[in-house]
Amino acid sequence: MNQNELYQQVILSHNKSPKNFGKPATFTHWAEGFNPLCGDHYFIYLTIEDDVIKNVFFEGEGCAISKASASLMTESLKNKTISDVESIIKKFHDYMTLSQGNLKDLGKISVLSGVKDYPARIKCATISWHTMKQAIETPVSE
Amino acid sequence: MDKNILAKIREDFPILGTEVNGYSLVYLDNAATTLKPKYVIDRLSKHYLYETSNIHRGVHFLSQQATTYFEEVRDKVKSYLHGDSTWETIFTKGTTGAINFVAQSFGSIFNSGDEVIISQMEHHSNIVPWQMLRDRKNIVLKVAQMDERGILDLEHLESLITEKTKLVSITYLSNALGTINPVDKIVKIAHSKNIPVLIDAAQAIAHITIDVKKLDIDFIAFSAHKMFGPTGVGVLYAKKQLLEKMPPIEGGGDMIASVRFDKTIYNTIPYCFEAGTPDIAGVIALGVAIDYINSIGLKNIEEYEHKLLQYATQKLSEIKNLRVVGTSPNKSSVISFVLDGIHPHDVGSLLDSKGIAVRTGHHCAQPVMEFFKIPATTRASISFYNTKEDIDRLADGILYVQSIFE
């Protein structure tokens, strides 16, 4: 595969201008994800109401693959129920780490499909997804 | 080195003919591990094909032959480091193994409150063993600072020394920055207070002529695989006078003179520090790697690499939005850099797509990254088989990376 397929235009533009980037004034759940090996470092902030993700933001620093993946994820998970989100996370994770299934029915997220062929970069794509899973389970303490 | 010699040298490294992603390989990851000349690989193969045998105490031909070849390498190490009978060669698994051995063995005679001084530019292998010793024996670990060019602050180092300081352990050549440290001055400072010095020569060993006698180094550690030898073998070259105070860390075969259930008598130095069957073929092949370097001449290598590093520094400094990390005037073999707005991992992947192997990340020197407030760098590290064309390919590759992210 040509490396240009890894750095597709959609990925480059999400890296340049990430969606839902920053720390919101209020949120109900959050988590921090850090990969000390490469320095990728992200925070996910969620507002969960009635088991629905009403709002999702992320902030942090990392490579283009990690940032684009986080940006695409926030776009696709907004206004979805927790159970839907959990099954999408599982689908993404299984595809990336176990080569099971595909990302075709996940909309724009499918631009990340090519990452799977670069074992050294899979963690870049999955860090924000792991952090998302953790955020759902971590309400803000009073 | 003239073009013909260089071309001939490159033929000694069959891997240089490899194609990566449709391009001929440009290998600029020598600081991680150097490539292996065919003579080293042939020697490993010859041992296993025709000479396999365990060393020491064997009365049969093959065992005696293997023992001779193995033991000869101690002398090759001695000559390579310009040592004499004041020092002894101990074979380890690598630089990390050698430093851990000193931390565990020499460290075992330290008392609570005793101090070890390292520097801010150390590889994790010269940090973590001392932290483990700190946790075990309650010693104090002190860190000598560097400046924003990556130059060690000798005055600060000196100011850290107290009556409790038991060892100064510093890298000769920073793998993350390329800084050559003034080992002569470091040793003088330490020895004026009777403190021994350990030099981590993992990065220096293939690039700088080291004279342990002139520098009066007490312990020096290096790995075979960073000097064109096999992985899994390293050396601690140390003053016998210090080794005599140090207990063995690993017990087992080969390190004993006699074993009874009530009392075991240890073998002599260096054997008492080499328990178990070592990497015999690896040690013998290290000898060939040393011969190979000597055949080219370390002085010639130093001169050529110096010019190549200057060329690379010049070439890279012409690229916009590129910052070299580590700008000491006294550098060797390593050029670390960051590109504005582009993460090193993306740089590494895109250079790889053009057949260029560099390393990206913290280079096992996270405190260095923290000091420069960057998550990682891209590091190109050279060896004598690299060419100006390799550097041109790197520079073009960087421009390509920047064009993708425009």
Side-chain angles (χ1 to χ4, degrees):
Chain A
M1 184 202 247
N2 189 301
Q3 197 88 18
N4 281 329
E5 290 177 41
L6 185 57
Y7 291 94
Q8 292 179 59
Q9 212 46 53
V10 180
I11 289 176
L12 292 167
S13 76
H14 273 266
N15 173 56
K16 206 168 188 180
S17 323
K19 303 286 191 301
N20 307 307
F21 192 74
K23 186 178 180 179
T26 60
F27 51 93
T28 62
H29 292 66
W30 76 289
E32 176 182 5
F34 181 48
N35 180 351
L37 286 176
C38 63
D40 285 354
H41 194 186
Y42 289 102
F43 295 84
I44 304 274
Y45 305 102
L46 305 175
T47 300
I48 301 179
E49 276 171 28
D50 302 328
D51 277 347
V52 171
I53 295 189
K54 284 284 180 198
N55 220 342
V56 45
F57 278 87
F58 83 103
E59 66 170 358
E61 263 187 272
C63 64
I65 305 297
S66 66
K67 193 172 265 179
S69 180
S71 175
L72 287 157
M73 177 189 73
T74 59
E75 271 195 322
S76 70
L77 300 186
K78 206 186 265 189
N79 291 319
K80 292 217 159 48
T81 65
I82 299 293
S83 67
D84 282 350
V85 166
E86 280 173 341
S87 76
I88 294 170
I89 292 175
K90 188 174 180 326
K91 200 166 202 177
F92 186 81
H93 182 264
D94 288 353
Y95 173 76
M96 284 293 170
T97 62
L98 307 171
S99 285
Q100 285 173 6
N102 58 64
L103 303 181
K104 279 183 191 142
D105 56 347
L106 295 184
K108 269 203 237 167
I109 290 170
S110 63
V111 300
L112 292 163
S113 299
V115 178
K116 185 174 70 69
D117 298 323
Y118 296 88
R121 306 305 302 276
I122 288 171
K123 279 197 167 136
C124 310
T126 56
I127 180 171
S128 58
W129 295 74
H130 289 301
T131 314
M132 174 60 99
K133 192 164 190 288
Q134 206 191 327
I136 291 168
E137 292 158 5
T138 317
V140 176
S141 51
E142 293 304 320
Chain B
M1 240 179 297
D2 79 40
K3 269 210 146 59
N4 295 331
I5 295 177
L6 189 57
K8 210 168 161 293
I9 285 171
R10 286 178 66 86
E11 280 174 19
D12 292 336
F13 295 83
I15 199 171
L16 287 171
T18 307
E19 260 195 17
V20 175
N21 295 317
Y23 294 87
S24 63
L25 170 68
V26 170
Y27 188 77
L28 293 170
D29 195 18
N30 292 288
T33 195
T34 55
L35 304 178
K36 322 302 172 198
K38 58 189 176 194
Y39 313 107
V40 166
I41 300 158
D42 289 348
R43 191 66 191 86
L44 287 169
S45 165
K46 186 181 170 206
H47 172 83
Y48 285 119
L49 282 172
Y50 306 112
E51 299 172 358
T52 294
S53 181
N54 211 330
I55 50 168
H56 302 148
R57 298 174 320 282
V59 292
H60 64 82
F61 169 77
L62 287 177
S63 177
Q64 288 180 17
Q65 177 180 258
T67 303
T68 304
Y69 291 149
F70 181 90
E71 289 299 324
E72 273 172 5
V73 182
R74 291 190 210 275
D75 280 340
K76 289 187 180 182
V77 168
K78 178 170 84 177
S79 308
Y80 189 74
L81 296 174
H82 303 91
D84 61 24
S85 59
T86 312
W87 287 266
E88 188 53 86
T89 304
I90 297 164
F91 293 116
T92 66
K93 286 186 288 180
T95 310
T96 301
I99 298 176
N100 273 277
F101 166 66
V102 177
Q104 288 177 33
S105 177
F106 194 55
S108 74
I109 55 180
F110 296 176
N111 295 309
S112 169
D114 283 350
E115 301 161 354
V116 171
I117 298 174
I118 59 172
S119 87
Q120 213 166 7
M121 68 178 91
E122 298 310 314
H123 186 281
H124 294 165
S125 63
N126 195 24
I127 301 173
V128 183
W130 307 112
Q131 289 175 324
M132 292 166 104
L133 183 64
R134 178 178 67 191
D135 297 342
R136 214 163 47 237
K137 300 225 35 164
N138 203 28
I139 65 150
V140 179
L141 185 57
K142 290 177 159 180
V143 182
Q145 292 166 355
M146 62 180 170
D147 69 14
E148 68 291 341
R149 294 167 297 172
I151 299 175
L152 186 63
D153 182 345
L154 286 179
E155 276 178 32
H156 183 245
L157 172 75
E158 191 162 14
S159 75
L160 294 176
I161 295 177
T162 71
E163 283 173 1
K164 295 248 177 198
T165 307
K166 286 290 184 292
L167 184 72
V168 173
S169 187
I170 305 276
T171 185
Y172 204 131
L173 168 54
S174 160
N175 74 307
L177 301 168
T179 311
I180 301 172
N181 281 319
V183 172
D184 52 343
K185 289 179 186 153
I186 294 166
V187 173
K188 265 192 196 115
I189 291 169
H191 282 188
S192 72
K193 312 263 166 70
N194 292 318
I195 299 160
V197 176
L198 187 159
I199 295 298
D200 169 358
Q203 196 53 49
I205 196 72
H207 304 283
I208 297 171
T209 303
I210 299 173
D211 188 327
V212 290
K213 211 162 156 184
K214 204 158 117 196
L215 295 167
D216 201 18
I217 296 169
D218 301 283
F219 299 101
I220 186 162
F222 63 90
S223 301
H225 78 95
K226 289 198 207 285
M227 59 186 305
F228 321 104
T231 54
V233 173
V235 167
L236 175 71
Y237 193 66
K239 281 188 184 159
K240 282 180 191 162
Q241 179 203 332
L242 289 162
L243 290 172
E244 278 158 10
K245 296 183 199 163
M246 292 162 56
I249 292 304
E250 288 189 321
D254 222 21
M255 58 78 70
I256 47 83
S258 79
V259 176
R260 288 203 172 116
F261 284 118
D262 58 341
K263 188 174 171 58
T264 286
I265 299 166
Y266 297 146
N267 204 338
T268 51
I269 292 169
Y271 311 106
C272 62
F273 299 123
E274 295 173 353
T277 299
D279 186 343
I280 299 163
V283 166
I284 295 171
L286 164 62
V288 175
I290 291 173
D291 293 343
Y292 184 75
I293 295 172
N294 288 336
S295 74
I296 299 170
L298 202 45
K299 277 275 165 242
N300 295 332
I301 292 171
E302 279 180 273
E303 203 179 297
Y304 175 74
E305 289 180 355
H306 180 71
K307 279 186 193 148
L308 197 58
L309 185 66
Q310 273 186 327
Y311 181 71
T313 306
Q314 176 59 35
K315 196 90 190 167
L316 263 55
S317 64
E318 287 165 10
I319 297 174
K320 277 184 197 155
N321 303 319
L322 181 150
R323 179 165 67 99
V324 173
V325 179
T327 50
S328 164
N330 207 6
K331 275 178 69 169
S332 168
S333 66
V334 168
I335 181 159
S336 241
F337 60 93
V338 289
L339 299 180
D340 287 353
I342 310 175
H343 193 280
H345 269 189
D346 298 319
V347 179
S349 281
L350 284 163
L351 288 177
D352 179 58
S353 76
K354 297 280 185 187
I356 303 162
V358 294
R359 190 141 291 242
T360 59
H362 52 55
H363 318 299
C364 288
Q366 274 182 290
V368 173
M369 301 300 122
E370 214 169 282
F371 175 82
F372 287 103
K373 297 187 175 62
I374 45 180
T377 73
T378 303
R379 178 186 71 186
S381 51
I382 58 168
S383 187
F384 54 75
Y385 40 68
N386 288 119
T387 61
K388 279 190 171 180
E389 289 72 33
D390 289 346
I391 303 302
D392 294 342
R393 288 261 308 270
L394 172 68
D396 289 346
I398 294 168
L399 293 175
Y400 165 72
V401 173
Q402 288 179 323
S403 75
I404 294 278
F405 276 82
E406 242 167 25

